[in-house]
Amino acid sequence: GQQVQQSPASLVLQEGENAELQCNFSTSLNSMQWFYQRPGGSLVSLFYNPSGTKHSGRLTSTTVIKERRSSLHISSSQTTDSGTYLCALERTNTGKLTFGDGTVLTVKP
Amino acid sequence: EAAVTQSPRNKVAVTGGKVTLSCNQTNNHNNMYWYRQDTGHGLRLIHYSYGAGSTEKGDIPDGYKASRPSQENFSLILELATPSQTSVYFCASGDSGGERLFFGHGTKLSVL
């Protein structure tokens, strides 16, 4: 089965609403990373988060290793947040990542 | 911010032809990676490298070769391209295991 599962597959919000994106994994991990993929295709690293909670502006990432899950919370969403959010699991300390299929977020004005 | 540059941005190839995708990074990172992304899916690792002269197989290496002639450059080679290799290819670099990766803008490859 797939080692990294993301949910929901897609999400539509009105501007100002909050979003909670989930990532569940079935193997042990060294770290978890979250990426934002622009509609044009390039990827931007949002968080490198092996465990615990990290904040960056309106974004919060929480990884709970013993529960094998990581989440990305977006508060007060904006239309510019639209795009695909990918989580990626690093199994060993090698930089090799296993990606989930992503959550496609659409924020409407 | 590390710069990772891929070329070409778009490529149309014929079945059975040879295709070379190039990647250059300017931040002196040791590790470089090639991923492919198919519509509606995440990225899958093809080959990676820990430094000049080294290449390692990723999760889906069949049909691909890689070359790392220098710290800055990492190429992906399709000796005999097939339509199933139509995809978007991303190169990435990182300083060492456990650090965040920097991605290029991707190369859209169509094999007809």
Side-chain angles (χ1 to χ4, degrees):
Chain A
Q2 197 166 356
Q3 293 182 331
V4 182
Q5 293 189 321
Q6 290 190 243
S7 61
S10 62
L11 183 61
V12 179
L13 299 176
Q14 289 297 131
E15 195 168 28
E17 292 182 326
N18 299 332
E20 186 86 8
L21 282 56
Q22 298 290 340
C23 182
N24 293 281
F25 45 94
S26 58
T27 66
S28 59
L29 88 164
N30 188 64
S31 73
M32 177 64 72
Q33 297 191 36
W34 283 92
F35 295 89
Y36 168 67
Q37 186 169 27
R38 298 187 177 103
S42 61
L43 280 83
V44 176
S45 175
L46 297 175
F47 289 102
Y48 168 77
N49 186 10
S51 66
T53 298
K54 292 192 174 183
H55 303 277
S56 177
R58 294 181 294 105
L59 305 181
T60 301
S61 169
T62 300
T63 297
V64 184
I65 295 175
K66 63 181 181 180
E67 296 180 11
R68 298 195 169 184
R69 63 174 178 87
S70 182
S71 64
L72 178 68
H73 182 83
I74 305 173
S75 63
S76 304
S77 63
Q78 301 174 359
T79 57
T80 52
D81 294 332
S82 296
T84 301
Y85 291 81
L86 295 160
C87 67
L89 166 73
E90 183 190 5
R91 288 162 285 171
T92 58
N93 193 31
T94 60
K96 294 167 57 180
L97 299 178
T98 299
F99 283 81
D101 287 344
T103 293
V104 178
L105 176 65
T106 303
V107 182
K108 295 184 174 182
Chain B
E1 181 96 353
V4 180
T5 304
Q6 294 182 229
S7 63
R9 294 291 299 269
N10 292 279
K11 173 73 177 179
V12 179
V14 295
T15 298
K18 182 177 181 178
V19 177
T20 300
L21 306 183
S22 300
C23 180
N24 175 274
Q25 53 101 358
T26 60
N27 215 42
N28 200 34
H29 285 160
N30 290 323
N31 299 348
M32 296 186 75
Y33 309 84
W34 277 107
Y35 289 88
R36 66 176 279 177
Q37 184 180 33
D38 299 299
T39 303
H41 293 282
L43 283 70
R44 292 182 291 170
L45 182 63
I46 306 170
H47 284 289
Y48 60 102
S49 168
Y50 291 131
S54 92
T55 60
E56 305 288 339
K57 293 181 178 180
D59 297 324
I60 53 165
D62 293 344
Y64 303 93
K65 291 171 56 179
S67 174
R68 182 87 181 270
S70 65
Q71 182 81 339
E72 297 80 17
N73 295 296
F74 189 38
S75 297
L76 185 68
I77 302 152
L78 291 66
E79 295 279 3
L80 295 170
T82 68
S84 64
Q85 294 174 314
T86 293
S87 189
V88 180
Y89 292 85
F90 288 95
C91 176
S93 73
D95 198 20
S96 62
E99 299 293 333
R100 69 179 184 131
L101 298 188
F102 296 89
F103 280 82
H105 282 77
T107 295
K108 185 175 181 180
L109 173 65
S110 297
V111 183
L112 306 179

